[in-house]
Amino acid sequence: MMRDGALRTLTFAQLAINAFAIMGFVNVIPYLKREFGASDQLVGLAFGAISIGTVIGSVVSGRTHWPFGKALTAAFILDSLCWSPTIWTRSLPVAMVAMTTASACGIYAVSSLVAWRMRIIPEALVGRVFGVVRLVVIIGMLPGSLAGGLIGDRYGTRTAMLVSSAGYAALAAGLFRMKSLRDD
């Protein structure tokens, strides 16, 4: 992982992206309950809708052959933009559509990254490199979860959604500026 510049950069970028993404996601249930008075059934329905977005993003990822770097950065940017209505909307259906479309974009990015790794990692190293990459990427979820919970409790779930979306968008924009990634 450390020998390949693009793989190293994307791995650490995904660590940071995961930290910001989870900040918002750990607040989904309190957000739905506090902001919309959602029942347990509505929360379940919202998670079902998010899952549908995940399925759609996976299907699109498997059926498209767009240039990797451009598609990846576009998916990251769209993910943050799609999530952003959760900051201001007073409509539960709008919030659910926002989270569902963000989920589709997010899983598109993950699926694309996995396929790209499979393409660039030598076959003899796939298991070891994937193990290291996944560990590094998942590490971002711990501080992100803690920070998201703290922000949600102290400043409200919408503020946590704002920090999540803004940090994610800033990181995605940073990746977009990388010429080597755009050209892959």
Side-chain angles (χ1 to χ4, degrees):
M1 179 190 88
M2 296 305 284
R3 288 186 196 152
D4 185 286
L7 180 60
R8 181 181 59 247
T9 299
L10 282 173
T11 298
F12 287 108
Q14 199 177 11
L15 176 151
I17 284 172
N18 272 355
F20 280 103
I22 200 72
M23 280 182 195
F25 197 74
V26 299
N27 280 284
V28 168
I29 294 171
Y31 169 74
L32 294 171
K33 292 215 169 256
R34 292 176 184 164
E35 300 296 329
F36 302 104
S39 66
D40 293 343
Q41 291 81 8
L42 274 175
V43 170
L45 184 62
F47 275 91
I50 292 168
S51 298
I52 290 169
T54 301
V55 170
I56 291 168
S58 297
V59 169
V60 170
S61 176
R63 295 181 183 266
T64 58
H65 302 288
W66 298 320
F68 169 71
K70 289 178 179 128
L72 178 70
T73 55
F76 280 141
I77 290 169
L78 285 172
D79 186 356
S80 69
L81 291 174
C82 289
W83 186 262
S84 65
T86 62
I87 301 161
W88 51 263
T89 189
R90 300 288 180 213
S91 166
L92 180 59
V94 169
M96 287 174 59
V97 167
M99 290 186 273
T100 301
T101 54
S103 176
C105 295
I107 201 63
Y108 177 91
V110 169
S111 298
S112 297
L113 273 163
V114 168
W116 174 76
R117 285 185 204 124
M118 290 295 294
R119 182 169 47 98
I120 67 159
I121 297 170
E123 186 63 34
L125 300 175
V126 167
R128 287 176 278 173
V129 174
F130 261 73
V132 170
V133 167
R134 290 306 306 153
L135 175 64
V136 171
V137 166
I138 289 172
I139 287 170
M141 296 178 93
L142 176 62
S145 295
L146 296 172
L150 181 68
I151 293 167
D153 281 346
R154 287 215 176 136
Y155 305 104
T157 57
R158 288 183 191 274
T159 302
M161 301 298 194
L162 172 65
V163 172
S164 172
S165 185
Y168 195 108
L171 290 164
L175 286 176
F176 184 75
R177 287 192 298 262
M178 291 178 53
K179 184 175 174 9
S180 61
L181 180 58
R182 283 194 323 266
D183 293 343
D184 192 324

